[in-house]
Amino acid sequence: TSTTPPRPSNSFQRENRIFVGQIPRPPTVDKEDLHQYFSLFGNVTDVHYPESNHRNGKMYCFVRFCTTQAVERCLNVEVHYVTGHRVNVQLAEPRPVHGNPHRRKFKGSQF
């Protein structure tokens, strides 16, 4: 009898997510604008704004796609504009399970 090791919890998997930073506050760019724009790259399953979400007047969010291919298509675009505003897009990389709670959540992020 073979046993399969337990999978990590969803909060620590990559799960086809991107980090989107430098988003102007609504109503300039809202959740629907982001969903519509990123749907150009593939099926978007979720646009999530964390509760503590501000930095120098800008916001950030996480966009989850159905497929890795959609993430790759999105990341292959050098510059992204949502409703005429440039946003920063990176692969979302989760914090390690036993990481420092004060450490930035996403490697390479400006936030």
Side-chain angles (χ1 to χ4, degrees):
T1 306
S2 73
T3 58
T4 306
R7 293 181 62 173
S9 71
N10 287 344
S11 62
F12 298 106
Q13 292 178 356
R14 234 175 237 191
E15 293 193 349
N16 302 325
R17 291 188 320 158
I18 59 169
F19 169 88
V20 183
Q22 297 297 311
I23 304 169
R25 291 192 176 280
T28 306
V29 175
D30 63 21
K31 193 173 184 176
E32 182 58 36
D33 295 326
L34 291 160
H35 191 280
Q36 183 177 359
Y37 173 75
F38 288 106
S39 291
L40 297 172
F41 303 100
N43 188 19
V44 172
T45 60
D46 184 43
V47 176
H48 172 69
Y49 281 99
E51 285 185 31
S52 60
N53 192 354
H54 56 80
R55 178 125 182 150
N56 300 326
K58 301 285 184 174
M59 298 182 72
Y60 64 93
C61 74
F62 299 95
V63 176
R64 185 181 312 270
F65 292 95
C66 279
T67 66
T68 303
Q69 292 80 11
V71 172
E72 290 170 358
R73 282 192 293 272
C74 183
L75 294 175
N76 283 332
V77 174
E78 195 169 312
V79 179
H80 294 270
Y81 289 92
V82 179
T83 68
H85 300 276
R86 185 176 178 166
V87 295
N88 176 27
V89 174
Q90 301 176 42
L91 180 64
E93 295 188 21
R95 176 188 318 181
V97 173
H98 298 290
N100 179 343
H102 301 289
R103 185 175 151 228
R104 294 179 184 171
K105 285 187 177 183
F106 295 89
K107 194 175 191 177
S109 169
Q110 297 175 3
F111 300 100

